[in-house]
Amino acid sequence: MSYVNGSLYFESISKKSGLGRIIQLQEGIYRTLLLPRKRHYSFPMVFLSNYKTYLMLETTKHSYLEIFILGQNGRDIEGTFKLKGLESIKIIDPIMFIKEGVYYLFGSTFPESISTLNIWSSKSLESEFVLHPCSPSRLEVYKSRMGGQFNAIQC
């Protein structure tokens, strides 16, 4: 679930197909995001960067991590791209965190190490993401899931 620009984004399971879909709730109105393929989508992570709104989803069942560029209404998909350095890595529950101009991507890889929480970093969305020196940050299956407040530590 993510909250950006007055919109709440969350996963809803379709009764008809059983697939996860992404819903936007804005001003009391529920709208389904029209994603490019009829597949399972979950764990929406919406973030802002350089005056644009981006959406990342958990898509490990059918594809590699893809970033969707959202239109001004926060619903229309204006484009997509893959993060350099991560084109062939499936990432479970991706979280993007931006601090002091550095992009940090947290997530577990699938199927190799679902119990390991890794960190990749980059200077921009267009630059290559590399495994951060603090990776892995967790090695236990119950503690490697994202949740709670960020705490900055030295590795």
Side-chain angles (χ1 to χ4, degrees):
M1 186 173 349
S2 290
Y3 184 80
V4 172
N5 287 340
S7 290
L8 180 67
Y9 297 86
F10 58 93
E11 173 188 2
S12 172
I13 302 296
S14 167
K15 289 181 183 179
K16 184 177 178 183
S17 68
L19 298 176
R21 58 188 176 184
I22 305 304
I23 306 295
Q24 176 200 43
L25 172 60
Q26 186 178 47
E27 297 177 359
I29 300 171
Y30 295 87
R31 297 178 182 96
T32 301
L33 270 66
L34 300 176
L35 296 164
R37 294 172 290 286
K38 297 263 185 211
R39 303 246 173 122
H40 178 76
Y41 295 99
S42 63
F43 201 81
M45 171 63 201
V46 181
F47 64 97
L48 301 171
S49 177
N50 298 320
Y51 306 103
K52 289 187 181 179
T53 306
Y54 297 93
L55 168 68
M56 289 191 310
L57 299 167
E58 148 88 56
T59 58
T60 57
K61 290 186 178 182
H62 55 83
S63 65
Y64 298 106
L65 181 62
E66 188 171 20
I67 309 294
F68 297 90
I69 305 166
L70 297 180
Q72 285 193 326
N73 63 10
R75 209 172 40 256
D76 296 334
I77 308 297
E78 291 187 345
T80 65
F81 63 95
K82 295 191 184 299
L83 297 175
K84 292 178 184 171
L86 303 174
E87 299 92 344
S88 61
I89 299 174
K90 290 186 175 185
I91 299 176
I92 299 170
D93 299 346
I95 294 283
M96 187 69 74
F97 182 72
I98 306 164
K99 183 169 173 92
E100 297 174 358
V102 178
Y103 292 74
Y104 298 95
L105 177 66
F106 293 79
S108 300
T109 57
F110 181 82
E112 299 83 15
S113 58
I114 59 172
S115 63
T116 302
L117 179 62
N118 288 304
I119 308 168
W120 295 268
S121 62
S122 177
K123 293 178 182 173
S124 73
L125 287 175
E126 297 79 23
S127 300
E128 184 170 2
F129 276 76
V130 296
L131 200 59
H132 192 275
C134 290
S135 279
S137 65
R138 286 287 187 179
L139 295 171
E140 302 167 61
V141 70
Y142 295 108
K143 292 182 179 178
S144 66
R145 305 300 288 206
M146 290 299 294
Q149 185 175 352
F150 281 105
N151 292 310
I153 60 168
Q154 295 293 325
C155 52

